Amino acid sequence: MPVGHLGQRFPGLTVRAQGGKGPYQIKGQNLLGWPSSLDYKVDPVAGTAEWHGTVTRTGEFPVRMTVEDSAGAHAELMLTFSFKP
């Protein structure tokens, strides 16, 4: 997991679904506040979510990513974004 630094562009992170049958629905849910000014772009056909943006807050921010394929199968991934001064 890349570490972000205040005022700098986040190095980027791509989450990719494995297995299942596309297209996919991918959603992120913040658990303790959204990680800075980051956002993610979903490609439902490729089954990816690409995180990008500029770091505007310091701290650690857990995010639950959920994936559902076209057959209704579910999976979860926990991410913790870490941002330093």
Side-chain angles (χ1 to χ4, degrees):
M1 182 73 166
V3 174
H5 296 278
L6 189 63
Q8 296 181 9
R9 187 155 188 78
F10 182 65
L13 174 72
T14 300
V15 175
R16 181 179 310 277
Q18 292 183 335
K21 181 178 170 146
Y24 302 88
Q25 291 182 7
I26 303 175
K27 297 178 184 172
Q29 175 188 11
N30 64 321
L31 302 178
L32 295 174
W34 198 249
S36 210
S37 64
L38 267 56
D39 200 3
Y40 60 96
K41 179 181 177 188
V42 173
D43 181 335
V45 175
T48 59
E50 295 182 35
W51 285 87
H52 60 281
T54 301
V55 177
T56 58
R57 295 171 37 188
T58 59
E60 292 194 353
F61 303 91
V63 172
R64 178 183 295 126
M65 299 294 299
T66 58
V67 178
E68 181 177 342
D69 74 358
S70 62
H74 296 283
E76 267 186 21
L77 172 67
M78 286 297 300
L79 303 172
T80 299
F81 290 89
S82 181
F83 302 131
K84 306 212 178 265

